[in-house]
């Protein structure tokens, strides 16, 4: 989450003492390793070179000398190496050298005379040359030095790659990053007005703590930024530091996970010491849930995390808030945090950093296109409308993709087409060039997509279809139908949800009508339809059977909106039946609609097969031509007419505008 490039140039103010002792340890380890390696190499070398030598006695040597088998002799420090005459008919293994121990009482002068007499050449200088010291230096000191050099090079490259010393042992990845000035201000954070408002007080406090301490007011030591990844929590924290013009210290909770006992705690201590030295300052702890998870004794707990958490709690309690150190922490899972962290005087303030709404998305696009040349035709409002559900990071990514596309195509400015195309890249992956579908598969995908589009287009209460394509995308979708909402919606009526269900099931319905088969291509649709139907029955009070009874509650509104059933088991199973009934009736409706417009389905599918991608307008020109002939045959989706009670916007986020389909199995 900390994908700010600035972090790379930050210095790491971790303590020097620790680093020194670690260095000494590392050098010792390297020396031992080099010694062992040299010993091994020496042993192997000696045994290898001896393998060629056969040991003979001095008498045998004299015998060979007399027999004329010896061609030359080499004097070595501890032995005589004897080269046999090559002509002598000896087996391969014995033909190389003869070896004998070097006898103390042997008189070299006398031996040389004997050798001369047999006209055997010898190298006599060898003995004097290799003094024991030189031998020692060459066979021990030099290899050890070479080995040491090699090992330390290896270590260094490994350290770089793994971000920790000695293969990650003993050194932690958790680095404290410090920025003297973040250079980020509130102007860089689009939307999030409520969050900014809550943070203004903290900025004022950092500007002049005396104002608050004079009155005796105690400011919260920390605030918890809660929101999905990419919504701008890190950015906000940096903006607070930037606005207050104080240093920004940051550390990420996830770095602590794989650490050894004690290291995490010392890092935390370090962090607070550093910050206190330069106070006022901001300390930012990203992904605090990685450290601050509820301490569970069930599985024996995680000693390291517990120690780190305890140290963190101790530091928060210990520091004097009048000094002007404020801790901001980010998480998307506040519910799993240890209660101790949320107690008064710790992170007792929660600041929600929501997914941006239409206005927020527009502003985010504006912020990120500030330094980008835009063509005349660019309409950021349209892009903002199409990106319901996207977070700030997605939008930043989208703008960058668009700029890259413009450069690739050799243009000087980004146009609307670039933005629309990169919207598809960000949401549905890039266009797949290599995937080849068989003709039958292509036909099935085409009918499937037109099935979705037609069910939507033939009814009221739907979002207009803006694009249908059967060009596969890298996301694995073989095709998709894009629906663009006309305006941002937070409320959906039962009718609209029913039509959404029918639209989702329209793909499978078309496959069944035309080919009489069911394919794996609909699995994603079925997944989404089931999820929606379950919400309608268990949360939105939209089933006749259960009426307004809530059968499940949202346990985690900030992450994925996952729910928990809170009813009897038997109720849960009849809820399942109800969901099944709802899905079955929507599927039947979708089938009926498509059957009634079978020729239209064929026509459009054929057209899509030819063109691979068609626009919503092209689709509607087909649909309008047909519906003029058959006035007002539009079915109403079997809704019972009662508008739903206000659904919580967080519970029913605007539907993602794309309906990608899973690839069929085996393709
Ligand atoms: P989080 O910490 O919530 O996961 P970040 O703050 O790291 O998200 O956001 C990642 C990037 O997304 C930011 O660097 C910024 O470019 C962009 N971004 C996210 N939210 C916003 C926003 N509200 N306004 C402008 N840019 C944003
Ligand atoms: Zn589908």
């Amino acid at each position: 989450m900390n994908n700010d490039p600035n972090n790379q140039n930050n210095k790491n103010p971790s303590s020097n003492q620790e680093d020194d002792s670690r260095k000494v340890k590392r050098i010792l380890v390297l020396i031992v390793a080099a010694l062992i390696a040299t010993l091994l190499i020496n042993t192997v070398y000696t045994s290898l070179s001896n393998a060629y030598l056969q040991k003979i006695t001095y008498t045998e040597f004299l015998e060979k000398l007399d027999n004329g088998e010896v061609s030359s002799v080499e004097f070595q420090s501890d032995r005589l190496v004897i080269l046999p005459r090559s002509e002598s008919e000896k087996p391969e293994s014995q033909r190389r050298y003869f070896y004998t121990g070097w006898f103390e009482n042997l008189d070299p002068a006398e031996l040389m005379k004997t050798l001369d007499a047999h006209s055997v050449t010898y190298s006599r200088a060898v003995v004097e040359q290799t003094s024991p010291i030189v031998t020692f230096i060459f066979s021990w000191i030099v290899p050890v030095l070479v080995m040491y050099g090699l090992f330390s090079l290896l270590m260094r490259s490994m350290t770089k790659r793994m971000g920790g010393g000695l293969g990650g042992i003993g050194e932690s990845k958790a680095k404290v990053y410090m920025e003297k000035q973040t250079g980020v201000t509130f102007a860089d954070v689009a939307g999030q007005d409520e969050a900014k408002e809550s943070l203004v007080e903290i900025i004022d406090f950092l500007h002049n703590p005396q104002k608050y301490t004079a009155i005796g007011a105690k400011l919260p030591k920390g605030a918890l930024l809660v929101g999905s990844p990419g919504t701008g929590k890190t950015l906000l924290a940096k903006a607070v530091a930037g606005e207050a013009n104080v240093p920004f210290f940051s550390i990420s909770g996830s770095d602590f996970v794989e650490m050894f006992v004690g290291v995490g705690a010392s890092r935390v201590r370090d962090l607070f010491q550093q910050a206190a030295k330069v106070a006022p300052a901001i300390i930012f702890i990203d992904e605090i849930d990685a450290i601050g998870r509820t301490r569970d004794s069930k599985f024996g707990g995680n000693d390291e995390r517990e120690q780190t958490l305890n140290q963190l709690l101790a530091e928060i309690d210990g520091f004097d808030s009048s000094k002007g150190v404020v801790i901001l922490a980010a998480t998307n899972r506040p519910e799993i945090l240890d209660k101790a962290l949320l107690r008064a005087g710790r992170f007792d303030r929660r600041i929600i950093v929501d997914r941006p709404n239409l206005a927020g998305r527009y502003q985010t696009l504006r912020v990120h296109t500030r330094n980008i040349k835009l063509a005349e035709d660019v309409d950021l409002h349209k892009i903002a409308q199409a990106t319901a559900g996207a977070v700030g990071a997605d939008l930043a990514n989208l703008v960058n993709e668009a700029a890259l596309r413009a450069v690739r195509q050799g243009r000087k400015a980004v146009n609307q087409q670039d933005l629309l195309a990169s919207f598809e890249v960000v949401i549905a992956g890039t266009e797949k060039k290599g995937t080849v579908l068989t003709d039958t598969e292509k036909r099935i995908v085409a009918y499937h997509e037109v099935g979705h589009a037609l069910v939507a287009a033939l009814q009221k209460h739907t979002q207009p279809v803006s694009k249908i394509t059967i060009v596969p995308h890298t996301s694995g979708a073989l095709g998709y139908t894009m629906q663009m909402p006309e305006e941002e919606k937070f409320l959906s009526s039962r009718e609209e949800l029913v039509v959404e269900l029918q639209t989702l099931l329209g793909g499978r319905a078309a496959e069944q009508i035309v080919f009489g088969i069911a394919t794996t291509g609909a699995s994603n649709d079925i997944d989404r339809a089931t999820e929606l139907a379950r919400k309608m029955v268990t949360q939105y009070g939209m089933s006749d059977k259960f009426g307004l009874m809530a059968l499940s509650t949202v346990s985690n509104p900030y992450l994925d909106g996952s729910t928990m059933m809170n009813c009897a088991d038997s109720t849960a199973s009849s809820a399942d039946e109800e969901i099944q009934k709802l899905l079955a009736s929507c599927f039947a409706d979708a089938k009926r609609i498509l059957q009634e417009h079978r020729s239209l389905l064929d026509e459009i599918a054929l057209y899509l097969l030819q063109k691979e991608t068609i626009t919503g307008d092209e689709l509607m020109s087909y649909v309008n031509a047909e519906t003029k002939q058959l006035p007002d045959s539009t079915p109403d989706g079997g809704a019972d007419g009662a508008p739903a009670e206000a659904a919580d916007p967080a519970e029913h986020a605007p539907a993602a505008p794309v309906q990608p389909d899973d690839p069929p199995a085996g393709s």
Side-chain angles (χ1 to χ4, degrees):
M1 244 170 280
N2 215 332
N3 41 16
D4 192 305
N6 291 340
N7 281 344
Q8 281 151 17
N9 337 330
N10 298 331
K11 62 176 188 180
N12 163 30
S14 54
S15 96
N16 290 331
Q17 283 175 342
E18 226 173 280
D19 280 358
D20 282 350
S21 72
R22 219 176 282 138
K23 242 179 238 162
V24 170
K25 242 188 240 165
R26 182 195 294 199
I27 288 172
L28 278 179
V29 169
L30 280 178
I31 288 175
V32 170
L35 263 174
I36 291 173
T38 309
L39 188 70
L40 271 176
I41 288 173
N42 257 331
T43 315
V44 169
Y45 175 77
T46 320
S47 62
L48 264 183
S49 55
N50 283 352
Y52 292 113
L53 299 178
Q54 193 194 8
K55 191 170 180 169
I56 55 171
T57 62
Y58 192 58
T59 333
E60 280 173 317
F61 164 55
L62 290 178
E63 230 167 68
K64 285 186 194 296
L65 207 59
D66 284 338
N67 293 347
E69 286 174 36
V70 180
S71 82
S72 68
V73 170
E74 206 178 290
F75 291 80
Q76 292 191 350
S77 59
D78 59 343
R79 59 194 181 185
L80 278 174
V81 173
I82 302 145
L83 250 76
R85 266 187 214 292
S86 50
E87 313 96 73
S88 61
E89 307 268 63
K90 292 273 177 184
E92 178 79 21
S93 60
Q94 295 171 7
R95 215 180 284 158
R96 297 254 170 102
Y97 296 103
F98 292 112
Y99 162 89
T100 179
W102 179 250
F103 302 101
E104 298 236 316
N105 51 0
L106 196 73
D107 181 0
E110 200 171 298
L111 177 61
M112 278 175 223
K113 256 185 220 158
T114 325
L115 290 176
D116 283 338
H118 289 87
S119 67
V120 170
T121 56
Y122 52 84
S123 37
R124 57 208 287 203
V126 181
V127 179
E128 285 91 353
Q129 258 180 10
T130 351
S131 78
I133 294 170
V134 174
T135 317
F136 179 75
I137 288 176
F138 274 93
S139 62
W140 288 100
I141 308 281
V142 172
V144 167
L145 285 179
V146 170
M147 282 293 156
Y148 179 82
L150 278 179
F151 271 119
S152 58
L153 270 181
L154 197 78
M155 276 297 147
R156 212 169 294 161
S157 74
M158 244 158 68
T159 312
K160 257 187 215 152
R161 226 177 309 137
M162 309 187 41
L166 290 180
I169 302 168
E171 253 176 55
S172 87
K173 283 202 318 183
K175 288 269 158 40
V176 178
Y177 291 105
M178 203 272 265
E179 283 177 65
K180 277 230 167 70
Q181 283 176 328
T182 61
V184 179
T185 65
F186 273 169
D188 299 309
V189 187
Q192 309 299 2
D193 293 335
E194 280 166 54
K196 285 187 204 167
E197 221 166 86
S198 325
L199 291 166
V200 164
E201 201 182 12
I202 290 180
I203 295 169
D204 190 44
F205 170 64
L206 289 170
H207 268 309
N208 46 12
Q210 297 82 9
K211 186 168 108 191
Y212 291 83
T213 47
I215 260 184
K218 267 199 194 132
L219 254 115
K221 290 181 174 174
L224 196 60
L225 300 168
V226 176
S228 310
T231 45
K233 297 182 293 296
T234 312
L235 196 67
L236 264 171
K238 281 190 179 174
V240 171
E243 291 280 342
N245 204 10
V246 301
F248 178 78
F249 290 85
S250 73
I251 197 161
S252 175
S254 61
D255 292 346
F256 287 104
V257 176
E258 61 226 63
M259 257 196 259
F260 284 84
V261 178
V263 180
S266 84
R267 276 286 190 277
V268 168
R269 203 177 313 128
D270 216 49
L271 173 67
F272 278 82
Q273 270 171 12
Q274 298 282 332
K277 257 184 235 159
V278 296
I282 293 277
I283 293 178
F284 178 64
I285 306 173
D286 204 356
E287 296 177 73
I288 195 172
D289 41 283
I291 333 170
R293 187 173 302 192
T294 307
R295 285 167 285 195
D296 56 343
S297 46
K298 228 189 286 171
F299 303 106
N302 174 338
D303 275 353
E304 171 52 14
R305 207 189 56 222
E306 246 165 64
Q307 274 203 18
T308 310
L309 175 57
N310 288 337
Q311 186 66 39
L312 180 62
L313 293 172
E315 294 291 345
I316 295 174
D317 291 344
F319 81 78
D320 179 4
S321 63
S322 62
K323 285 221 183 89
V325 176
V326 172
I327 319 159
L328 296 175
T331 182
N332 54 7
R333 318 173 66 185
E335 73 288 339
I336 67 164
L337 289 182
D338 200 296
K339 294 284 169 291
L341 266 176
L342 307 174
R343 215 162 282 154
R346 293 172 184 163
F347 293 106
D348 51 0
R349 273 196 190 188
R350 261 188 212 208
I351 296 172
I352 307 289
V353 188
D354 262 334
R355 280 170 186 268
N357 58 10
L358 181 60
R361 291 199 301 276
Y362 175 68
Q363 281 161 18
T364 310
L365 286 168
R366 284 274 301 273
V367 165
H368 286 281
T369 50
R370 264 188 316 208
N371 299 321
I372 286 186
K373 287 207 182 74
L374 296 179
E376 300 260 294
D377 69 334
V378 168
D379 183 353
L380 292 180
H381 277 292
K382 273 231 172 78
I383 304 297
Q385 246 165 28
T387 45
V391 295
D394 296 335
L395 297 173
N397 194 3
L398 186 151
V399 169
N400 195 47
E401 282 287 337
L404 291 178
R405 185 176 186 268
V407 172
R408 266 202 304 273
Q409 303 193 351
R411 271 180 284 107
K412 289 245 152 56
V414 172
N415 62 26
Q416 185 77 349
Q417 192 49 43
D418 292 328
L419 289 165
L420 284 172
S422 49
F423 163 57
E424 283 169 41
V425 171
V426 170
I427 294 197
T430 44
E431 282 190 349
K432 237 190 204 174
K433 295 270 151 53
T435 313
V436 190
L437 294 182
T438 65
D439 283 349
T440 325
E441 278 171 341
K442 235 172 153 174
R443 262 165 60 79
I444 295 174
V445 175
Y447 269 100
H448 178 107
E449 296 307 331
V450 176
H452 285 307
L454 257 189
V455 171
L458 286 168
Q459 299 190 80
K460 302 174 206 157
H461 310 300
T462 54
Q463 300 168 350
V465 173
S466 61
K467 176 177 173 174
I468 315 171
T469 180
I470 54 169
V471 178
H473 276 58
T474 41
S475 64
L478 295 178
Y480 60 92
T481 301
M482 198 192 293
Q483 282 176 284
M484 221 179 258
E486 278 169 324
E487 56 195 17
E488 179 146 57
K489 292 188 60 177
F490 288 115
L491 291 179
S492 301
S493 66
R494 184 176 192 273
E495 288 88 336
E496 286 164 337
L497 295 183
V498 165
V499 173
E500 202 178 319
L501 281 181
Q502 293 168 347
T503 305
L504 282 169
L505 298 172
R508 165 61 65 84
E511 286 174 25
Q512 280 218 337
I513 293 170
V514 180
F515 304 96
I517 55 167
T519 70
T520 50
S523 68
N524 180 268
D525 302 334
I526 291 172
D527 223 40
R528 287 173 51 195
T530 310
E531 195 189 327
L532 177 57
R534 180 171 298 280
K535 278 187 180 164
M536 290 170 68
V537 171
T538 65
Q539 286 176 40
Y540 302 155
M542 289 182 183
S543 74
D544 297 333
K545 181 157 186 174
F546 297 107
L548 293 176
M549 181 180 172
L551 304 179
S552 67
T553 43
V554 180
S555 58
N556 182 358
Y558 305 106
L559 184 63
D560 50 4
S562 65
T563 54
M564 243 170 34
M565 292 299 279
N566 55 0
C567 57
D569 283 353
S570 59
T571 320
S573 67
S574 52
D576 282 342
E577 277 167 31
E578 203 58 16
I579 292 163
Q580 202 184 357
K581 264 206 296 206
L582 180 59
L583 288 170
S585 97
C586 287
F587 183 64
D589 287 336
K591 251 176 119 167
R592 198 197 59 240
I593 295 167
L594 292 175
Q595 263 156 352
E596 280 168 10
H597 298 86
R598 175 63 204 262
S599 57
L600 187 58
L601 176 65
D602 289 334
E603 253 177 274
I604 303 176
L606 206 69
Y607 185 61
L608 178 60
L609 267 172
Q610 280 168 4
K611 291 202 60 181
E612 297 212 329
T613 303
I614 62 177
T615 64
D617 291 341
E618 286 172 289
L619 172 77
M620 288 320 290
S621 66
Y622 274 99
V623 173
N624 291 336
E626 160 121 353
T627 43
K628 258 176 218 145
Q629 289 161 20
L630 306 160
D632 216 14
S633 70
T634 342
D636 203 89
D640 64 9
E645 286 281 304
D648 188 333
E651 286 171 47
H652 184 69
V658 173
Q659 302 190 343
D661 291 299
D662 292 346
S667 82

